[in-house]
Amino acid sequence: MNWISNYVRPRINSLFSRREVPENLWTKCSECGTMLFHREFTENLNVCTSCDHHMGITPRERFHALFDGNVFTEVDVPAPLDDPLHFKDQKRYPDRIKAARKDTGEREAMLVAEGKIGRTPIVAAAQDFSFMAGSMGMYVGNAIIAAAERAVAAKRPLVLFSAAGGARMQEGILSLMQMPRTTVAVQMLKEAGLPYIVVLTHPTTGGVTASYAMLGDVHIAEPNALICFAGPRVIEQTIREKLPDGFQRAEYLLDHGMLDRVTHRKDMKDELVTILRMLTGKGPAVMGDLPKPEDVVETKEKPEDAPAKPKDEAPKT
Amino acid sequence: MTNYLEFEKPLAEIEGKAEELRALARANKEMDVEGEAAGLDAKASALLKELYKDLTPWRKCQVARHPDRPHCKDYIEALFTEYTPLAGDRNFADDHAVMGGLARLGDVPVVVMGQEKGNDTKSRIERNFGMARPEGYRKVIRLMDLADRFGLPIVMLVDTPGAYPGKGAEERGQSEAIARSTERSLNVKSPVISVIIGEGGSGGAVALATANTVMMLEHSIYSVISPEGCASILWKDSDKMREAAEALRLTAQDLKQLGVIDQIIPEPMGGAQRGRSESINAVGKAIEAELKALKKRQKGDALLKERREKFLKMGAKGLAA
């Protein structure tokens, strides 16, 4: 019952609801207010065609655009305990999760997939800001560990797209423990000699920035993304002064030495391919939108060395 | 002069009366007040027991933040000999919110470090109330490098409201510094012991609490966010900190049940602030015992692997309904 209501039903809903989106829907840019033709907007990867403002994009949409031939295989993430603290604020935590699943059609705040980009095999993980602000709880921790384990087993680089308000308060201390847990995942990659690239997207804050998002071999950010440990409001309250323009934005961090690059979303794929192929000693890449890889059957099938599905996969009731 | 917490007000009254009586008797030799004062003492001690028998999470927060509680510096001075402070991050500055260096515990040379909150206005400002900046976390990394290079055990004492949320701290990479210090603590071959002696505030604490053995004093707290912060975000009302403290499960007892910490060190009746040396000694004994146990398991990178495994497995246990 739980599995069906929590997982299968939202997926089915999302399939149908997506088809219901009319072609002529308009989207308003949250920065400059320009009304954007929905189809053009999504074709431009949710970047405003007028002011270049990078709006949120779901992991599924991002992966669709990222992987060659729009093909990727999801990597299984072991389900954590539901509501380990029996947390209740104004709402019960399980109700908040249920609502987020219904709204997004996703199981949780991170999606892990494997496939090829520019004919380069990778594992990718992307955080979903639309799912409870992408907050890092047990599931996100499990997802990063699963991604790292898969990358190590298949000897592929890991590309991680971060987006989160921080740790998931409703999991209390267990969300904080995802900082060391995900750090161990990053260490697995480093010790296996595999590249770990972090793409920081708007916003990446709190405990997420203070763990896996700042431990990459290469840090790339999307333009104007807010990246910080303490949010600007907290800092203004603490130091009682106005912060400079652009404070804690991607370009500011680039200036202060915390990032390697700030890259437009439409150039991200080519840049990732270029960097990854050099880091892994492969020849120059074929760029652009590539058709489905010929050996796609292989990548779609579960390779033999895939981590076994853990026994606690079925969510607890 | 005892600093009373809000919930200790009734206690303050009784103890105050007893004190007044005794003061009167001292001024007037003919008065015999001892009987009455002893009665008040008994009443006070019964009330103290009653108050501390079952502290609510919010009251624990208040006790954990009590200004008279022994701080990092008190523990280091009392428990270690030959303490030799080492300073600086070799990059920008020396952060006084984090103190640490070489010292001996018994005969054993160790690297000891922790956040220090300060105990009067001047030292609190100098220590930035125990809120470290990136330099502090980079000093932690340096000290861990040193310990690792010479095979010295690492002892960390955690007591911080959190990492400092300031402009300069952000510009110099607060997140990166915290991330790297956590990473370093998961890379050390030496035994690592951590004791949360007061407040374990979020990301600023986790960097010093990624250890083989994490212990907590009975009335200390360890949380992903302060109850006040959580209340203002989830309840949209910072006055709901009692509810938030309850929901966050930040007490040593809950964290032990969750498997996040390994051991609870008991505090004297009325909290560490009422029995400072007793608390300090209890912490010392616990560290010494753990150090012995860890040394037995220290072979190659066995403790490093153990530490990583421990954190990977965390979260398998929930709280009983």
Side-chain angles (χ1 to χ4, degrees):
Chain A
M1 175 59 204
N2 220 2
W3 185 73
I4 292 185
S5 58
N6 288 346
Y7 188 57
V8 176
R9 205 179 294 154
R11 290 247 168 154
I12 294 173
N13 287 346
S14 78
L15 277 180
F16 284 105
S17 60
R18 258 182 219 162
R19 274 183 205 151
E20 280 160 16
V21 173
E23 281 278 298
N24 61 353
L25 199 83
W26 294 84
T27 304
K28 193 174 167 184
C29 173
S30 56
E31 188 72 22
C32 70
T34 309
M35 296 303 285
L36 303 159
F37 190 40
H38 187 75
R39 205 183 59 202
E40 259 176 40
F41 173 67
T42 51
E43 273 168 13
N44 203 34
L45 303 173
N46 296 9
V47 177
C48 175
T49 46
S50 157
C51 73
D52 251 355
H53 178 61
H54 285 53
M55 278 186 267
I57 182 166
T58 67
R60 226 166 264 284
E61 290 168 310
R62 191 187 283 279
F63 287 171
H64 185 80
L66 180 72
F67 285 103
D68 295 348
N70 317 115
V71 179
F72 58 88
T73 312
E74 270 183 63
V75 172
D76 283 329
V77 176
L81 289 176
D82 287 336
D83 195 15
L85 305 187
H86 317 293
F87 195 97
K88 186 171 176 288
D89 48 271
Q90 288 170 311
K91 268 189 192 171
R92 287 170 63 240
Y93 177 41
D95 294 339
R96 285 190 192 265
I97 288 264
K98 220 178 274 174
R101 284 188 176 143
K102 200 170 164 229
D103 287 350
T104 59
E106 293 293 346
R107 185 175 162 199
E108 253 282 1
M110 186 169 263
L111 187 67
V112 184
E114 58 186 328
K116 290 187 173 183
I117 62 169
R119 296 283 183 265
T120 317
I122 66 157
V123 175
Q127 220 155 351
D128 193 345
F129 193 75
S130 58
F131 193 107
M132 293 187 75
S135 53
M136 168 179 69
M138 301 268 297
Y139 186 93
V140 168
N142 284 0
I144 293 171
I145 293 166
E149 283 175 344
R150 180 67 201 127
V152 170
K155 297 195 176 63
R156 292 173 175 212
L158 176 62
V159 179
L160 187 139
F161 298 86
S162 68
R168 188 167 297 169
M169 278 176 284
Q170 291 88 347
E171 293 184 16
I173 195 80
L174 293 176
S175 66
L176 192 69
M177 289 303 110
Q178 304 316 307
M179 289 171 63
R181 281 185 95 219
T182 55
T183 304
V184 175
V186 174
Q187 284 171 329
M188 290 178 193
L189 292 163
K190 293 196 172 167
E191 279 161 23
L194 296 165
Y196 168 52
I197 297 190
V198 186
V199 179
L200 298 106
T201 76
H202 180 75
T204 298
T205 67
V208 168
T209 328
S211 57
Y212 57 87
M214 272 290 152
L215 293 172
D217 292 307
V218 179
H219 294 163
I220 310 175
E222 290 188 340
N224 203 35
L226 176 74
I227 302 161
C228 59
F229 179 66
R233 217 161 10 124
V234 175
I235 297 174
E236 275 181 345
Q237 281 165 7
T238 310
I239 63 172
R240 293 172 206 286
E241 58 180 275
K242 201 95 189 89
L243 294 166
D245 269 353
F247 182 66
Q248 299 179 319
R249 296 289 168 166
E251 295 73 11
Y252 198 89
L253 267 84
L254 184 70
D255 266 353
H256 285 81
M258 290 300 138
L259 302 172
D260 291 287
R261 305 181 58 80
V262 174
T263 303
H264 195 286
R265 195 177 283 160
K266 71 176 174 0
D267 303 323
M268 193 64 79
K269 175 178 177 170
D270 286 353
E271 191 158 307
L272 287 170
V273 173
T274 306
I275 292 171
L276 285 174
R277 291 187 74 87
M278 284 195 267
L279 288 179
T280 53
K282 292 184 166 75
V286 190
M287 292 298 188
D289 284 330
L290 294 172
K292 207 160 98 172
E294 281 158 29
D295 56 348
V296 73
V297 190
E298 247 174 65
T299 58
K300 281 204 106 170
E301 269 175 13
K302 188 154 289 225
E304 279 164 12
D305 53 355
K309 211 173 187 184
K311 284 190 188 99
D312 60 350
E313 180 66 13
K316 314 263 182 308
T317 45
Chain B
M1 177 68 200
T2 322
N3 280 308
Y4 288 96
L5 295 168
E6 195 192 308
F7 72 89
E8 293 174 328
K9 282 231 171 91
L11 187 67
E13 252 168 57
I14 300 172
E15 289 187 337
K17 264 187 207 155
E19 182 52 39
E20 258 172 51
L21 272 179
R22 289 198 171 103
L24 268 177
R26 273 195 297 277
N28 190 347
K29 295 274 188 263
E30 279 108 79
M31 267 177 88
D32 180 21
V33 296
E34 207 32 61
E36 209 180 327
L40 285 171
D41 283 350
K43 215 171 143 191
S45 108
L47 181 61
L48 184 71
K49 240 183 219 163
E50 184 59 34
L51 284 174
Y52 275 80
K53 192 178 68 190
D54 208 2
L55 285 179
T56 61
W58 173 243
R59 288 182 175 181
K60 285 214 185 237
C61 295
Q62 294 171 290
V63 175
R65 294 167 179 169
H66 199 292
D68 298 338
R69 225 176 144 78
H71 289 161
C72 181
K73 190 163 171 272
D74 304 314
Y75 285 94
I76 293 182
E77 282 172 358
L79 294 175
F80 298 83
T81 53
E82 296 182 28
Y83 173 58
T84 311
L86 300 175
D89 69 345
R90 298 298 183 271
N91 187 36
F92 181 77
D94 181 43
D95 187 342
H96 302 300
V98 175
M99 60 184 295
L102 289 162
R104 275 182 203 275
L105 185 66
D107 282 341
V108 189
V110 302
V111 165
V112 60
M113 56 184 127
Q115 292 108 339
E116 170 57 45
K117 286 180 168 178
N119 50 21
D120 52 27
T121 310
K122 187 170 166 266
S123 61
R124 282 187 194 120
I125 289 168
E126 187 193 323
R127 302 283 185 184
N128 200 27
F129 301 86
M131 293 184 284
R133 299 181 166 89
E135 299 77 64
Y137 296 105
R138 291 182 181 128
K139 175 153 89 181
V140 168
I141 297 174
R142 257 199 69 228
L143 291 178
M144 285 189 192
D145 287 343
L146 186 76
D148 204 21
R149 213 162 105 71
F150 297 100
L152 303 181
I154 298 171
V155 177
M156 300 191 281
L157 301 166
V158 179
D159 193 13
T160 179
Y164 184 60
K167 181 168 169 277
E170 289 288 317
E171 285 173 340
R172 297 192 298 277
Q174 186 71 290
S175 341
E176 196 261 0
I178 293 174
R180 292 273 169 221
S181 61
T182 313
E183 187 188 39
R184 190 66 186 99
S185 63
L186 287 161
N187 257 340
V188 181
K189 291 195 186 95
S190 311
V192 186
I193 295 175
S194 180
V195 188
I196 298 164
I197 53 173
E199 261 185 295
S202 190
V206 83
L208 279 87
T210 309
N212 289 91
T213 308
V214 181
M215 300 186 273
M216 268 177 96
L217 272 176
E218 188 183 347
H219 303 311
S220 58
I221 56 164
Y222 187 17
S223 179
V224 64
I225 185 168
S226 71
E228 294 90 336
C230 180
S232 76
I233 298 174
L234 288 182
W235 277 266
K236 317 258 181 269
D237 177 0
S238 56
D239 287 339
K240 296 276 190 218
M241 65 268 186
R242 282 170 196 82
E243 286 85 342
E246 204 81 43
L248 282 166
R249 307 288 189 157
L250 39 66
T251 67
Q253 294 68 30
D254 279 340
L255 298 176
K256 175 79 173 50
Q257 212 190 323
L258 282 166
V260 168
I261 63 157
D262 305 288
Q263 200 181 317
I264 299 173
I265 304 171
E267 290 184 31
M269 183 49 65
Q273 71 276 12
R274 279 180 172 259
R276 290 166 59 94
S277 56
E278 219 178 318
S279 292
I280 292 174
N281 289 335
V283 167
K285 280 205 183 99
I287 295 174
E288 268 180 275
E290 260 324 291
L291 207 55
K292 260 190 205 137
L294 288 177
K295 281 225 154 178
K296 275 187 197 145
R297 308 206 292 273
Q298 184 182 12
K299 263 189 208 95
D301 57 1
L303 290 178
L304 185 159
K305 284 196 175 131
E306 195 182 283
R307 205 177 312 128
R308 289 187 189 176
E309 279 306 310
K310 170 185 160 170
F311 281 92
L312 276 183
K313 282 195 194 123
M314 224 166 252
K317 263 199 287 189
L319 289 175

